[in-house]
Structures are given as structure tokens and as C-alpha cells.
Amino acid sequence: MRLPVDDPELLPELIRFLEARLDMVNARHGANELELSLLGSYGHKEARETLALLVQAWQEADPNRRGSVRFLD
């Protein structure tokens, strides 16, 4: 799944947060987009829900991050 980030300066921080998980692979695309893949037996819906919860937790940890990431399926 691809995630555009409105503020490119937040992308390294988001990558560090997500890299703490061992079941995820990420690749940066350009200045403000990240592609994520969960390893394991996830269907598309389950993977998206899991990623959405992780991104939501990251955003809620700092009010400046809210609304800064969206999903492209």
C-alpha cells in the first residue's frame, strides 16, 4: 500500500516508527511517499486495517501529525 505524506519532513519519523515492526517492509518513493507491505498471511482488507491502525497510533502520538497521511490502494 502506498501512503503519501503531506509534510515530507515527517516521512523519516514515520519510517522509524514502522521499522520497529519485524513483519513489515517499506520503500520510500520520492520525497513524500512510502510503500508498505506486511509479511505473513494478510488479506488486502486485513493488511489495510492493520496499517491504518499503526498510522493512526503514530499520528495520535503528536497532534502535528494528524491528517498528514492518507492511503492509496
Side-chain angles (χ1 to χ4, degrees):
M1 289 189 198
R2 294 180 86 122
L3 288 89
V5 177
D6 292 338
D7 182 354
E9 292 182 14
L10 293 175
L11 197 55
E13 195 177 318
L14 176 59
I15 290 170
R16 279 191 301 276
F17 174 80
L18 295 172
E19 283 180 340
R21 292 187 54 113
L22 298 177
D23 65 343
M24 185 177 307
V25 176
N26 71 68
R28 189 171 180 166
H29 292 276
N32 70 329
E33 193 169 284
L34 186 63
E35 184 171 358
L36 300 173
S37 296
L38 287 173
L39 305 174
S41 300
Y42 290 92
H44 181 78
K45 180 182 175 189
E46 292 81 8
R48 190 181 191 298
E49 288 173 356
T50 300
L51 293 172
L53 288 172
L54 286 169
V55 169
Q56 180 181 355
W58 176 77
Q59 289 177 317
E60 289 178 354
D62 182 341
N64 294 322
R65 299 176 187 155
R66 292 207 175 114
S68 60
V69 179
R70 63 188 184 283
F71 285 87
L72 299 178
D73 290 322

